[in-house]
Amino acid sequence: MERESLLNRVMASLMHLFSLLLTFVLPILVYLVAKNRNKYFADHAKEGMNLHFTFFPVFLILNLISLKWRVASVFSYGLIALETVLILIAVLNTLMGKKFSYPVIRYFKV
């Protein structure tokens, strides 16, 4: 595998980082723009989509449950913390040019 340029690594890292705020919207946009232009960005966007398409429905279900039982809100905060840690690990690995795959369900093959 050829090493990506620093600019590509920084841009892919920023995509992971900003997906904390924009959830699955940013990876989808990046994938749609980069799928035919840059395999590196497309692969990282797929990783981001896999993460958010796994965590987002679970988060919504936990929030619906927490309306009835408060203990579910603790789990939803834990899920947010786990997602944040995984994204920060992805950012660091991407900056170093290492391959990183989120430990989530694979909706899209990378």
Side-chain angles (χ1 to χ4, degrees):
M1 180 178 198
E2 101 182 26
R3 186 157 169 93
E4 285 298 319
S5 70
L6 179 61
L7 179 63
N8 283 350
R9 289 184 283 148
V10 169
M11 295 302 289
S13 296
L14 288 174
M15 189 270 312
H16 284 292
L17 188 62
F18 287 131
S19 74
L20 276 171
L21 300 173
L22 301 171
T23 65
F24 53 83
V25 175
L26 183 60
I28 288 172
L29 291 175
V30 169
Y31 178 73
L32 290 174
V33 169
K35 68 181 175 181
N36 294 325
R37 295 180 183 172
N38 189 318
K39 183 178 176 354
Y40 186 75
F41 286 129
D43 287 348
H44 281 281
K46 286 180 196 175
E47 285 293 337
M49 286 189 293
N50 284 330
L51 176 75
H52 291 293
F53 286 156
T54 300
F55 278 48
F56 191 70
V58 175
F59 179 73
L60 286 178
I61 291 168
L62 285 172
N63 278 325
L64 288 174
I65 293 171
S66 71
L67 295 175
K68 178 107 172 138
W69 297 294
R70 285 287 155 200
V71 72
S73 65
V74 172
F75 288 114
S76 63
Y77 287 125
L79 188 68
I80 291 171
L82 176 62
E83 182 180 28
T84 303
V85 168
L86 288 172
I87 287 174
L88 292 176
I89 291 169
V91 167
L92 293 175
N93 279 301
T94 304
L95 278 174
M96 292 186 290
K98 295 180 181 177
K99 175 80 173 123
F100 180 78
S101 293
Y102 291 110
V104 295
I105 298 170
R106 295 277 163 224
Y107 298 101
F108 307 99
K109 298 290 181 197
V110 179

